[in-house]
Amino acid sequence: MTDRLGRRGLAHVNDARGVRRMLIMDPGTGAVLGLESTITEPEPAFGVEEGGVM
């Protein structure tokens, strides 16, 4: 996959309790290229909509 800065990497994804967490790593060095949390269920009490990225 490609991270938000255009770097190629491997993504590891975990879906749990309304949040999808994605860790993107450089396959050659193991360096972390990105870490994202995407909301998969809205949380109106906090003003968070489905699809929001943190």
Side-chain angles (χ1 to χ4, degrees), residues 20-39:
R20 173 176 290 132
R21 292 177 182 85
M22 180 170 50
L23 173 65
I24 307 167
M25 300 178 71
D26 182 294
T29 66
V32 174
L33 301 178
L35 179 61
E36 293 183 0
S37 296
T38 304
I39 305 303

Side-chain angles (χ1 to χ4, degrees), residues 15-21 37-42 48 50-52:
D15 288 312
R17 293 183 290 159
V19 178
R20 173 176 290 132
R21 292 177 182 85
S37 296
T38 304
I39 305 303
T40 58
E41 297 175 8
V48 178
E50 182 177 347

